[in-house]
Amino acid sequence: MSSAISIETLSMEFGPGMKALDEVSLEIRDNEFFTLLGPSGCGKTTLLRLIAGFEQPSAGVIRLYGEPMQDLPPFRRPVNTVFQSYALFPHMTVAQNIGFGLEMQGKPKAEIAATVERMLALVKLPDVGGRRADQLSGGQQQRIALARALASRPKVLLLDESLSALDMKLRKEMQIELKRLQAETGITFIFVTHDQEEALTMSDRIAVMSKGRILQVGTPSEIYENPANRTVADFIGETNFLEAQAIGEQLQLADGQTLPSHCSAQGAVTLAIRPERVALSESGNLAGEVEEVVYIGTDTLYLLRVAGQSGFRVREQNGCGVRPLLQRGAPVRLEVPAAAIRVLSE
Amino acid sequence: MSTPRQLAERRQLLRRLGLIAPGMAMLAVFLVAPLAIMLLVSFLQPGEYGGVKWGEYSAEAYISFFYERDFDDNLVFNTDYLGIFQRSFWLAVATTVGCLLIGFPTALYLALQSEKKRNLLLFLVTVPFWTNLLVRVYAWMLLLRNGGLVDGALGVFGVPEGSVGLLYSSGAVMIGLLYSFLPFMVLPIYTSLEKLDWRLVEAAFDLGANRWQALKRVILPLALPGMLAGATLVFIPALGNYIIPELLGGGKALMIGNLVQLQFGSGHNWPLGAALAFSLFSLVLLALLFNGLRQRGQEVRA
Amino acid sequence: MNLQGPLWRFTGVRPVAWTFFAFLYIPILVLVALSFNAGQSATLWQGFSFKWYGVVANDPEILRAAKNSLIVAVCATLISTCLATLAALGMHGRRFRGQGALQGVLGLPLLVPDIVCAVAILMFFAFIGLKLSLLTILIAHVVFCTPFAYLPIRARLQGMDPRLLEAAADLYASPWRAFWRISFPLLLPGILSGAMLAFIISMDDFVITYFVAGAGSTTLPVYIFSSIRMGISPKINAISSIMLVLSILFVTLSYYLGQRKR
């Protein structure tokens, strides 16, 4: 597979010592739904703005299908952006908004009109062409922003937190919609979000970023199942961390309890354990004490004290067989299979 | 070596400076330079018939604020100018206080109206700003002169016509200043009241404050920035005003502005005029500095 | 929040407000009323007549002054609005070192009392040997109109979403085309209100014009001032009323246009 965008040691400093991006290198493949995921301030939006050309890098190269383009102004780059606030031109109609890019490229009027029609149909809003952008609802504006960015058939589409202004229900709808659009148009999508669930459901691959660096690149399941380090594990999904010593085939916890190990690391390690991969069980291999019980409808969340550490989370589905709710302070045992333990050695 | 980013930023900055340049050049040549020259002139000797004697520096102009030279060329203390400074200052202060006393209740009244009525009233407050000051002051000459409307109205109450001498007095100047600058007080106070969260006042009522206490403890403190802005907007133009004392004060209630004008008219003393103008400008800057420092202090505390 | 209930009636506030409005408008109304006086006196009512308006309309001196005022105001408005628009565009964006000082210079005409401005410019013209004429008036007017035109344009720019220009660049618009297709139409209301402000400020200015006007380049306010000094007359009432009514009409019109747009 050829790479759509390849980024080599890209850095950006706002001022001396204020690094927004620190020597980032990245390959984004052709026709891929790629997500930049990270907390706010991690540099993901900066990276997107560098690709779009709104900011200039301090150093590094950005290639689009092999061509370096870090020196081109944004209006000469065949990439288009869907902005977080949509940035629809308020003084133009929806059709004028969608046709703007084609008009700037000097396309004939008839072609523009036809493309606008096609785009409106693509985003399933065929009748709003004559309206002004500010007369539309948030969800509709979102679709028009998408249509506008897709109208001139960019080689890469950039989406900057594009769903964050929508409410939950619309958001789920648009997630599916975006996947469909990506499949239909065959355009490479680069999506920026801080919402890990959104990233996991939509992406072909994800890059997790923190403090101007890329921590891990991989498919959603790689990232969820095999986080490269503690930051990634902490950011993606819920994770319990336990400090331990790896001694031979054994992982020894602070209070002397042991867990089986399936990995060769030795010495001080951190164990990452997902709350849904363990279960309360009388024959369990780990002892703890109930600190708090939180009923959440589908699940019950138990906060336990394990090996001297508090706040160990265990999720159990609420089935038909009702277990009497555990009381605070009650001793419990946990079943922790070796496969549920991810050993992180920093 | 510069990074591509720094180069782009430099290009951008140059383009922006290029856009600012024409306007800036206009103001630099025709306002900043003249003000600098004015400062220089204030330290020169006056020419015989206006103008100045270049190269002959002296502080004579500033000295003459307080002293005049008698026939033997001795400095004698002279209160003529000081009296005019004092009058200007107190008239400006009184105008500011008067504007506050009328402006605050008016702004409060405006802020408490329904939106439609409020917009209309607000419009009525701003209209005079768009009309000629000279003409509005002239209207007061019609009202205040002997035989004018106010005089006539007083006559109804048995005051003989023409006995009060309303026009050409400090009182007339004061009315003129109040009249001209009241909108400058009402608007900023209204703006700060409009931003006020009235639920705070409800909270005060809820905690047992009566209207007067809520006004004093909640509304007034929160409207203070608006009042200060208004006070600056009133005090500065009132202090330096020329038309109002010229038309309503006659020769009897001169202010600094008139004194400045006299030096360029019949007085033929440009250095003194420049010195007076520069002092006036300094007073204005002081008032602004005071206001600015206060604001900064508040920001630091917040 | 509803603030019209009895809870919110502060005693004494309403009478003060109405006194304020009466104080603001009674002199204007009296002036306009007296301009229709048939007699020779400026203040003694002797019957209704349009007579003085006829006198004004046929006074060549007044007409010349009005023409001068218009010429200066139109030119000053055009020039200062252009300067202000460019400056506002340049000031917009990330702060650079020294921007505060430039901002200060741009706002300077608002701070300097007009009499100070007037004598400073007068001396400057005298020293560089520029003869007082309509041109000197125009220069002075451009100086003090520029910040008035600048403020609304700057406010409009600050209210504009910077992403819109990025979006235009993203969609292949060069900076020049982006300006004319996006910035300019969105700034236009600000530019228009800036121009309107500049026009009115220029039309109304007396003090600065009085100092820098040469012989034969009298503007309307300067004419009115000189006439008042020679004694008040019904003719002044009439020309003053015309100026008042024209500017009130002008503002009311722009107010209604502004309301309708919303």
Side-chain angles (χ1 to χ4, degrees), chain A residues 49 54 74-75 77 79-81 83 85 87-92 101 103-105 148 152, chain C residues 94 161 163-175 177-178 181-183 185-186:
Chain A
R49 291 171 61 79
F54 304 138
F75 52 92
R77 297 189 190 198
V79 297
N80 288 149
T81 308
F83 292 84
S85 53
L88 295 178
F89 305 127
H91 58 301
M92 297 184 190
E103 188 197 325
M104 290 299 122
Q105 288 172 308
R148 182 177 72 174
S152 27
Chain C
R94 200 181 306 164
D161 182 0
R163 298 278 174 267
L164 291 178
L165 280 183
E166 285 180 359
D170 192 53
L171 295 163
Y172 315 107
S174 63
R177 299 186 78 178
R181 286 299 305 274
I182 311 297
S183 309
L186 290 175

Side-chain angles (χ1 to χ4, degrees), chain B residues 19-87:
Chain B
L19 288 171
I20 302 171
M24 204 49 69
M26 184 80 203
L27 290 179
V29 174
F30 293 108
L31 186 61
V32 179
L35 286 173
I37 290 175
M38 186 180 83
L39 179 60
L40 182 70
V41 165
S42 73
F43 286 104
L44 291 171
Q45 293 277 11
E48 303 297 324
Y49 304 100
V52 292
K53 293 177 183 158
W54 290 103
E56 291 183 31
Y57 295 97
S58 82
E60 189 72 25
Y62 292 94
I63 292 170
S64 65
F65 287 6
F66 307 100
Y67 300 96
E68 63 181 344
R69 291 191 188 277
D70 64 10
F71 295 113
D72 302 327
D73 213 27
N74 295 321
L75 290 174
V76 181
F77 192 64
N78 177 345
T79 55
D80 288 0
Y81 291 152
L82 275 182
I84 293 175
F85 291 165
Q86 253 179 4
R87 182 188 299 122

Side-chain angles (χ1 to χ4, degrees), chain B residues 12 16 30 51 69 73 85 89 91 102 111-112 157 186 197 204 212 224 237 249 255 283-284 297 301:
Chain B
Q12 176 77 12
R16 288 174 63 189
F30 293 108
R69 291 191 188 277
D73 213 27
F85 291 165
F89 182 76
L91 273 174
I102 305 174
L112 291 172
F157 297 104
V186 174
D197 182 355
W212 169 242
L224 200 63
M255 289 175 71
L283 278 176
V284 168
R301 254 174 280 148

Side-chain angles (χ1 to χ4, degrees), chain B residues 88-164:
Chain B
S88 301
F89 182 76
W90 286 116
L91 273 174
V93 168
T95 302
T96 310
V97 172
C99 283
L100 268 172
L101 290 179
I102 305 174
F104 180 78
T106 306
L108 184 59
Y109 178 76
L110 285 180
L112 291 172
Q113 298 311 304
S114 68
E115 198 186 329
K116 211 171 150 205
K117 191 171 173 191
R118 200 166 51 186
N119 282 341
L120 181 69
L121 291 178
L122 214 53
F123 172 67
L124 287 179
V125 177
T126 47
V127 164
F129 174 73
W130 301 97
T131 56
N132 196 310
L133 177 65
L134 184 64
V135 169
R136 281 182 293 138
V137 174
Y138 171 70
W140 274 103
M141 292 182 74
L142 294 180
L143 286 174
L144 292 177
R145 70 190 293 235
N146 286 343
L149 220 67
V150 177
D151 203 27
L154 286 175
V156 175
F157 297 104
V159 182
E161 264 192 29
S163 65
V164 189

Side-chain angles (χ1 to χ4, degrees), chain C:
Chain C
M1 203 169 157
N2 181 21
L3 299 171
Q4 279 87 56
L7 177 63
W8 299 98
R9 275 197 204 121
F10 293 90
T11 339
V13 161
R14 185 211 289 263
V16 175
W18 287 109
T19 312
F20 164 80
F21 283 111
F23 183 55
L24 216 55
Y25 282 94
I26 284 176
I28 295 177
L29 295 177
V30 167
L31 170 64
V32 174
L34 284 175
S35 71
F36 294 107
N37 193 359
Q40 293 291 326
S41 159
T43 47
L44 228 73
W45 186 254
Q46 284 168 315
F48 183 90
S49 150
F50 282 111
K51 170 173 141 195
W52 295 107
Y53 287 92
V55 173
V56 165
N58 291 313
D59 186 324
E61 221 181 322
I62 292 181
L63 294 180
R64 202 177 325 119
K67 199 178 113 196
N68 284 342
S69 273
L70 261 180
I71 292 173
V72 169
V74 168
C75 296
T77 302
L78 288 176
I79 299 172
S80 60
T81 308
C82 285
L83 294 179
T85 307
L86 293 179
L89 287 170
M91 284 291 187
H92 191 61
R94 200 181 306 164
R95 287 192 67 87
F96 55 84
R97 227 189 313 153
Q99 191 172 3
L102 294 184
Q103 191 80 47
V105 173
L106 267 175
L108 197 58
L110 300 174
L111 306 182
V112 186
D114 48 9
I115 185 89
V116 176
C117 201
V119 300
I121 297 182
L122 170 70
M123 281 191 284
F124 182 72
F125 286 151
F127 292 142
I128 63 170
L130 195 59
K131 205 165 160 298
L132 297 183
S133 63
L134 269 192
L135 177 69
T136 51
I137 301 181
L138 176 62
I139 292 174
H141 279 221
V142 170
V143 165
F144 67 78
C145 286
T146 301
F148 282 99
Y150 172 78
L151 289 177
I153 302 174
R154 173 108 172 109
R156 186 88 193 168
L157 253 178
Q158 276 169 333
M160 204 172 94
D161 182 0
R163 298 278 174 267
L164 291 178
L165 280 183
E166 285 180 359
D170 192 53
L171 295 163
Y172 315 107
S174 63
W176 179 249
R177 299 186 78 178
F179 173 78
W180 287 110
R181 286 299 305 274
I182 311 297
S183 309
F184 185 73
L186 290 175
L187 282 184
L188 199 58
I191 295 176
L192 286 181
S193 63
M196 206 178 91
L197 254 172
F199 183 79
I200 289 186
I201 298 287
S202 168
M203 276 304 270
D204 280 356
D205 176 72
F206 161 69
V207 175
I208 297 174
T209 316
Y210 182 55
F211 277 81
V212 298
S217 51
T218 308
T219 63
L220 259 188
V222 175
Y223 171 83
I224 293 176
F225 181 78
S226 331
S227 312
I228 294 174
R229 293 270 280 237
M230 288 192 280
I232 60 179
S233 75
K235 193 164 94 175
I236 307 177
N237 293 356
I239 178 71
S240 300
S241 301
I242 293 175
M243 286 192 69
L244 265 178
V245 170
L246 279 183
S247 36
I248 291 176
L249 276 180
F250 194 64
V251 201
T252 312
L253 194 73
S254 68
Y255 174 75
Y256 270 108
L257 289 179
Q259 291 275 305
R260 249 193 26 202
K261 230 180 191 167
R262 256 191 261 154

